[in-house]
Amino acid sequence: MATGTEPSSQAGATGVHASSRATIPARHLRTDRWWLAPAGTAAGLLAFIVYSTWRAFANADYYAAPYVSPFYSPCLAENCHTMRGGPNWDLIGSWWGLSPALLILIFPLGFRLTCYYYRKAYYRGFWASPPACAVAEPHKKYTGETRFPLILQNIHRYFFYFAILVAGVLTYDTALTFRDEHYAWGHMGLGSLVFLVNIVLIWAYTLSCHSCRHIVGGRLRHFSKHPVRYRLWGWVGKLNERHMLLAWSSLISVAVADFYVFLLASGAFEDPRFF
């Protein structure tokens, strides 16, 4: 008796339509709005890409004492805005005429692009690989991350080390926000709170990384012989459980911090001071 699930007889069929797989005429059997999640993910990532690209190439309105945009920190070119006590590191000579943000954004961007969660997000959101659970991807074959360029995802751990350095610089920038526009210490503005929230989320996202969890507690035969690493591994594991939430929260917070500096630098409004 035919059941409609006999092996496929399509010649040359691959993937879920291969001859060894059951034949199901429908592309999937899900009746919920499964497409909302990948569509929302794609929209969110696309919005950030558009905004960050505009700000990175703008090369303007990224410093309003004592605040510096996280997109431009540390500033590695000679054409950077002079920031008193700020992250001015003139490692690149005057030959660099483009926005200095392009010199530093490659590191946090590379860290996020190769992040395990973001891989899942843009694989599903943009490449439909697969678009959702129990929904077949439209590609004829699947090679995973075994070929160029996706094999480069394996350098995620090395981007993690750079991300730690960048987070350290942003921590320094946050400390500098407790100055006023004349660089006097002991002051706090609304921007200080914006930067505090951002750096907490940046560190939480960075330390919740799967690579961080492996570095802290990986390749240990007996946790009982390494109590300190075991405790750290447990803490990182707690953060790792919320890796997706931290990924989105930190992505939003870094954009908000940059936009806040843009509003101040462009003269849209003045930074409210608490003391």
Side-chain angles (χ1 to χ4, degrees), residues 183-249:
Y183 307 102
W185 288 94
H187 300 273
M188 179 178 177
L190 177 59
S192 304
L193 293 180
V194 172
F195 273 65
L196 273 175
V197 172
N198 178 58
I199 195 57
V200 168
L201 291 174
I202 288 292
W203 274 114
Y205 165 66
T206 303
L207 296 179
S208 70
C209 167
H210 295 76
S211 290
C212 179
R213 190 167 183 261
H214 178 74
I215 291 171
V216 170
R219 304 187 67 178
L220 293 180
R221 291 181 179 273
H222 306 286
F223 275 128
S224 59
K225 295 182 179 180
H226 304 274
V228 175
R229 291 185 64 182
Y230 176 67
R231 179 63 62 86
L232 293 175
W233 181 80
W235 290 344
V236 174
K238 291 295 184 181
L239 287 174
N240 185 257
E241 293 176 1
R242 297 168 175 80
H243 194 49
M244 180 183 73
L245 175 62
L246 293 172
W248 280 105
S249 299

Side-chain angles (χ1 to χ4, degrees), residues 99-122:
S99 170
L102 301 178
L103 294 171
I104 192 62
L105 281 180
I106 185 175
F107 299 111
L109 179 62
F111 177 60
R112 287 184 182 264
L113 281 177
T114 57
C115 165
Y116 288 101
Y117 167 69
Y118 280 112
R119 294 186 208 180
K120 170 187 172 182
Y122 61 76

Side-chain angles (χ1 to χ4, degrees), residues 114 119 145 147-156 159:
T114 57
R119 294 186 208 180
E145 297 172 346
R147 298 180 181 180
F148 183 84
L150 295 186
I151 196 173
L152 295 179
Q153 302 281 29
N154 294 319
I155 63 177
H156 177 61
F159 274 120

